[in-house]
Amino acid sequence: SAVISQKPSRDICQRGTSLTIQCQVDSQVTMMFWYRQQPGQSLTLIATANQGSEATYESGFVIDKFPISRPNLTFSTLTVSNMSPEDSSIYLCSVDTGGVYEQYFGPGTRLTVT
Amino acid sequence: GQQLNQSPQSMFIQEGEDVSMNCTSSSIFNTWLWYKQDPGEGPVLLIALYKAGELTSNGRLTAQFGITRKDSFLNISASIPSDVGIYFCAGNFPNSNYQLIWGAGTKLIIKP
């Protein structure tokens, strides 16, 4: 398993602004994932972020809106750009520590856009 | 695309009762995972299953990987108040590049 932290834990932002969410892992991992979760809903994968390569985005998510950085094996950021109220959600990062399909999650970032 | 059907959507149970929930897929899966999410937290992995027919326990929790590889169930015995939360199944299908498909979740509520 892994210990994962996220910053900030929550934020309230104005529409049109951007927020960068940080994800820090206590061990080196190859695969990191970013999810969005609407309250009371399931998880939707935004993108897969592997160190040393461009992030791979899922259908409906684009790099201009959700740029991702993965500078090393323990850290990643997700930026939510030009926010609108529809971006209000919980954003989660997860890691696959050993290539065995088990993902471990951070506590999430609760974003409210007004 | 791939979909998981998770049921029931919610359960109201008495403390001490046994609980059962399941997930089915239209395609075969290589892996089945069961997670629990508490309010304000990320999902926590409860049980991972890798082989058809595999039955695995974690305390009062038991999960099985269906023999057809298209379903899985999770049982909780003698429920206690801290079992309240949302339970998600997730699966990995062949050639999916480590991505998981998620069920809609089962919300477990214990009647006072």
Side-chain angles (χ1 to χ4, degrees):
Chain A
S1 64
V3 177
I4 303 156
S5 59
Q6 285 185 236
K7 290 182 182 179
S9 59
R10 59 177 63 230
D11 208 341
I12 301 173
C13 300
Q14 301 270 2
R15 70 171 64 211
T17 63
S18 298
L19 176 72
T20 295
I21 302 168
Q22 299 178 8
C23 180
Q24 180 76 52
V25 191
D26 69 340
S27 58
Q28 294 185 338
V29 296
T30 301
M31 285 174 287
M32 295 182 77
F33 305 87
W34 285 98
Y35 288 86
R36 184 169 70 183
Q37 185 180 31
Q38 305 281 3
Q41 302 294 315
S42 187
L43 285 74
T44 300
L45 181 65
I46 297 171
T48 302
N50 293 338
Q51 198 271 339
S53 62
E54 299 277 334
T56 302
Y57 289 82
E58 296 302 299
S59 176
F61 298 96
V62 296
I63 188 171
D64 290 346
K65 175 68 175 176
F66 297 100
I68 289 171
S69 77
R70 183 77 203 274
N72 56 52
L73 290 172
T74 63
F75 187 78
S76 179
T77 66
L78 169 75
T79 299
V80 186
S81 304
N82 188 25
M83 289 184 285
S84 67
E86 292 70 38
D87 295 319
S88 297
S89 193
I90 300 166
Y91 292 85
L92 295 153
C93 72
S94 72
V95 304
D96 183 325
T97 58
V100 292
Y101 309 110
E102 298 174 12
Q103 290 184 21
Y104 297 90
F105 284 82
T109 296
R110 184 177 294 271
L111 171 63
T112 302
V113 184
T114 61
Chain B
Q2 303 288 340
Q3 289 190 345
L4 286 184
N5 294 311
Q6 184 172 353
S7 64
Q9 186 175 17
S10 61
M11 303 181 73
F12 290 81
I13 61 169
Q14 299 276 5
E15 184 177 347
E17 286 183 352
D18 295 343
V19 172
S20 184
M21 60 192 78
N22 69 84
C23 277
T24 60
S25 167
S26 57
S27 304
I28 61 171
F29 274 37
N30 287 337
T31 307
W32 283 98
L33 306 171
W34 285 93
Y35 287 83
K36 177 177 184 258
Q37 187 175 28
D38 292 326
E41 302 289 334
V44 173
L45 181 63
L46 300 173
I47 293 178
L49 302 160
Y50 291 98
K51 291 164 56 174
E54 180 181 355
L55 184 71
T56 299
S57 294
N58 178 4
R60 293 177 296 105
L61 278 62
T62 302
Q64 184 159 30
F65 193 142
I67 198 73
T68 65
R69 296 175 63 190
K70 293 184 178 182
D71 63 326
S72 177
F73 71 75
L74 174 71
N75 288 343
I76 305 172
S77 63
S79 57
I80 59 177
S82 62
D83 291 333
V84 165
I86 302 177
Y87 292 79
F88 291 100
C89 63
N92 170 269
F93 58 91
N95 303 316
S96 66
N97 197 28
Y98 295 98
Q99 293 176 1
L100 297 178
I101 304 297
W102 291 81
T106 295
K107 188 172 185 178
L108 188 61
I109 302 160
I110 294 187
K111 301 179 210 175

